Amino acid sequence: MYYDELKTFVTLAEVKNFTKTAEILLMSQPSVSLHIKNLEKEFQTKLFQRSPKFLKITPSGEILYDRAKQMITIYEQTRQDILEHINSVKGELKIGASFTIGEYILPALLYDLQQDYPELDLQVIIGNTEEIVQSVRSYEVDIGLIEGQTNDKELSVQAFMQDELFIVSSNSHALAGRGEVEIADLQNQAWITREVGSGTREYLNHVIRSNGLKVKSMLTISSNQGIKEAVIHGMGLSLLSRSVIQRDVEHHNLSIISLKKQSFTRTLSCIYSPIMQDKKNVKTFIQALDKKWPDKKEQG
């Protein structure tokens, strides 16, 4: 099998530079060239268009790129399964997580996994929901955790818990400390929210549309911590997960604005490519999710 050649090809296709590819793979530049030459000979086609100024993948190379990533994944999964001892979980597990999950929810599960499987090498990549879906699709991670759902039919989706969100303000905001307020009190307010592609942003957009709210202004910050700081400084309202605001509310840095007869709940899901579902480390992770939050799927 042309495993090393395929790995070199995929890396070169992504970084588009022979020198950088050699540095990433800890090999010489002539070896990179030889690997590509071997593949072009095997498939009897040019995989890249080359000139002193640019490197561009050919249409034939595009076809091989997607297949090569799948072949590498299958090879590594097979190799890991063969090398693993019975009932032993070890090796690498790459987890993609949206910001809210990765920063506030996932760490508790990572602790449990380290205690139960000390030989498991955990890697976490954090991005917004849209980015994590793409990472799972392109096999950059083994499994992803996202806010809400995905319409990507190529991926398996499994809910693992329900997440409650709250509208928060600074302690000095006009709506703070008023007890329950009406939805009409949210008209013409300034909002602070995450970037497009974030599950939290998508949920806030839904709340605004479904309640016919007029927005005075919308400040976008691609960080939960940045949003909280802006809210604390009185720049507007935000809609954030319980896990994100819990400590700040307890320490009286933020105030929760309660709405009459209305709450906000969304599903948190794990997603993975069907090709990964039999991978032992992925199975172990899903089982750990179910163990950590056994009753959270049905809660409001």
Side-chain angles (χ1 to χ4, degrees):
M1 178 181 176
Y2 288 80
Y3 174 80
D4 291 333
E5 284 84 351
L6 290 174
K7 198 159 189 177
T8 301
F9 167 73
V10 168
T11 304
L12 181 59
E14 292 174 348
V15 303
K16 297 179 175 60
N17 183 282
F18 277 81
T19 301
K20 288 183 180 179
T21 298
E23 291 174 354
I24 291 171
L25 299 178
L26 302 177
M27 60 196 302
S28 67
Q29 190 169 327
S31 295
V32 174
S33 299
L34 180 60
H35 283 181
I36 300 304
K37 185 178 179 181
N38 289 342
L39 284 177
E40 290 180 335
K41 182 178 179 181
E42 170 68 15
F43 293 106
Q44 300 179 26
T45 186
K46 287 290 183 183
L47 299 174
F48 295 98
Q49 293 177 3
R50 311 171 207 185
S51 79
K53 293 185 178 180
F54 73 93
L55 180 73
K56 183 178 180 182
I57 193 168
T58 64
S60 296
E62 291 283 3
I63 293 173
L64 178 60
Y65 176 74
D66 290 331
R67 307 286 174 82
K69 294 189 78 168
Q70 292 185 44
M71 286 188 279
I72 290 170
T73 298
I74 293 171
Y75 176 90
E76 291 177 344
Q77 176 183 331
T78 303
R79 180 175 179 273
Q80 179 173 300
D81 289 344
I82 291 174
L83 292 177
E84 283 178 354
H85 298 295
I86 296 176
N87 297 324
S88 175
V89 177
K90 58 184 178 180
E92 187 177 79
L93 178 64
K94 294 181 180 178
I95 306 161
S98 64
F99 280 98
T100 297
I101 298 172
E103 293 177 340
Y104 296 95
I105 296 174
L106 181 59
L109 179 63
L110 297 179
Y111 175 81
D112 293 345
L113 285 169
Q114 280 197 332
Q115 299 305 305
D116 294 339
Y117 309 105
E119 294 183 276
L120 187 59
D121 181 14
L122 299 168
Q123 295 185 33
V124 179
I125 295 175
I126 296 178
N128 64 38
T129 291
E130 191 174 282
E131 291 168 342
I132 297 305
V133 171
Q134 182 57 38
S135 294
V136 173
R137 285 189 80 254
S138 58
Y139 305 104
E140 294 173 19
V141 297
D142 300 315
I143 192 166
L145 301 177
I146 63 171
E147 302 147 27
Q149 301 281 334
T150 174
N151 295 322
D152 195 319
K153 296 181 180 179
E154 295 181 17
L155 302 179
S156 297
V157 183
Q158 178 179 321
F160 70 89
M161 70 176 289
Q162 292 293 311
D163 180 37
E164 191 171 8
L165 298 95
F166 296 89
I167 296 173
V168 290
S169 72
S170 66
N171 296 328
S172 60
H173 195 278
L175 296 179
R178 279 182 46 182
E180 290 188 329
V181 303
E182 302 283 353
I183 194 72
D185 293 317
L186 300 181
Q187 292 288 2
N188 297 309
Q189 294 286 342
W191 290 91
I192 308 164
T193 185
R194 290 278 309 284
E195 75 285 356
V196 174
S198 158
T200 301
R201 170 66 172 265
E202 185 177 340
Y203 194 94
L204 175 60
N205 288 344
H206 165 72
V207 170
I208 290 172
R209 287 194 305 266
S210 61
N211 289 285
L213 295 177
K214 292 182 180 179
V215 175
K216 180 180 179 181
S217 64
M218 185 78 77
L219 172 61
T220 300
I221 302 178
S222 58
S223 159
N224 287 318
Q225 187 61 39
I227 290 172
K228 288 193 294 183
E229 290 296 325
V231 172
I232 289 170
H233 283 82
M235 298 178 68
L237 306 177
S238 190
L239 182 67
L240 294 170
S241 166
R242 176 198 295 272
S243 61
V244 174
I245 64 170
Q246 189 166 359
R247 290 182 184 176
D248 292 280
V249 171
E250 290 173 354
H251 293 154
H252 306 291
N253 296 322
L254 289 172
S255 293
I256 290 178
I257 296 176
S258 299
L259 291 179
K260 289 183 179 179
K261 300 179 182 179
Q262 190 159 3
S263 60
F264 306 108
T265 306
R266 64 182 174 184
T267 300
L268 303 185
S269 305
C270 68
I271 58 173
Y272 50 89
S273 171
I275 201 174
M276 304 297 289
Q277 64 185 359
D278 292 326
K279 186 173 182 178
K280 194 165 190 178
N281 289 348
V282 171
K283 280 185 174 180
T284 299
F285 183 80
I286 293 174
Q287 290 168 358
L289 273 179
D290 291 338
K291 179 181 177 182
K292 187 70 175 177
W293 296 288
D295 303 318
K296 295 292 181 76
K297 295 179 186 180
E298 303 302 329
Q299 289 183 2

